Amino acid sequence: MKYFWTHKDNIPEGLGYGQFTLKHFLWLAVSAVFVTAYVFLYRQADPAGKLFILRAAAGSLIFIDIIKMILIWFSDVDFFEYLPLEICSFAAYSTVCDSIWIGNTFFPQMLVTLFLPAAIMAVFFPTTSTLPAINFYSIHQFLYHDLIIAYVTARFVCGEIPLTYAGVWLSIMKIIILAAVIYAIDTVFDRNFMFLRDTYGNPLLEAIRKVTGDGIAYTGGLVCFCIAVLHVFYVLFKCIALLFLS
């Protein structure tokens, strides 16, 4: 517990839980149990209960992120490097908006085709792998993304989010616009929000960089990879909907 509150920028080398190690797989197992339990509770709830469950998850996302930002503020790191402007930060904001305006048409399909894949990738390729498994930021990494996955999955399996191919391209347009705005911020302030300029050692992003090279080529490759992933997950979710939810 010595390093429970320690930020990854200040952690000694060799203490991380690693990528696809036993500790990582244990975290993935905990994530699977959490998401399954959330979905089960949601399916069993009445309309009022469902609304409470959705808003509880959305509120928890904001609450734990506020705690994280407070801790970063008092840590010996560059606070502005860790502003909540990552792709899954926008997933959390969309989740909150969706839970407030239930029945809207702007957020639901984007949550499935764009933000659910992003959250899934985040738990399989975590940015906290250099930290101990029992560390606040490690716990935040998995709980934060688990809440997004659980929220979207629950609504999806209950048939509350219809999938259309046109919706995939609408999501792609939205993420390209968002990426352009964040890239401009990254360039002006020399940051790396949404990993648009640097991989920060993430194994998945490193694989993309090895193919494309650095600079704008890497950014373009990342965008193309995201578009391909959106199509893969669309086909997967569409098959699940046709086979099990129709």
Side-chain angles (χ1 to χ4, degrees), residues 94-246:
S94 298
T95 298
V96 171
C97 293
D98 182 70
S99 70
I100 295 173
W101 293 290
I102 292 293
N104 77 90
T105 58
F106 184 84
F107 295 104
Q109 192 160 218
M110 183 168 61
L111 285 170
V112 173
T113 57
L114 175 59
F115 293 131
L116 179 56
I120 291 173
M121 299 293 275
V123 295
F124 276 94
F125 300 94
T127 57
T128 57
S129 59
T130 57
L131 287 167
I134 306 301
N135 170 280
F136 171 81
Y137 296 98
S138 298
I139 295 170
H140 178 281
Q141 165 99 45
F142 287 94
L143 178 58
Y144 190 82
H145 295 96
D146 289 349
L147 284 166
I148 296 171
I149 295 169
Y151 181 102
V152 182
T153 303
R155 293 207 65 199
F156 175 67
V157 301
C158 289
E160 298 173 3
I161 305 179
L163 280 178
T164 65
Y165 188 57
V168 175
W169 283 103
L170 284 173
S171 296
I172 290 172
M173 290 173 58
K174 293 171 186 175
I175 191 58
I176 289 176
I177 293 171
L178 176 61
V181 172
I182 297 300
Y183 187 81
I185 294 173
D186 286 347
T187 303
V188 172
F189 296 101
D190 191 25
R191 300 297 174 182
N192 189 41
F193 299 119
M194 290 176 59
F195 299 95
L196 289 172
R197 301 176 68 206
D198 196 292
T199 67
Y200 278 175
N202 184 285
L204 177 62
L205 302 182
E206 276 293 320
I208 297 173
R209 187 189 62 80
K210 287 180 181 178
V211 174
T212 62
D214 296 316
I216 193 66
Y218 160 73
T219 305
L222 178 59
V223 172
C224 290
F225 174 78
C226 290
I227 293 173
V229 168
L230 260 63
H231 279 82
V232 170
F233 274 92
Y234 169 76
V235 172
L236 175 62
F237 294 148
K238 195 68 175 179
C239 290
I240 291 173
L242 292 173
L243 292 174
F244 302 106
L245 305 179
S246 58

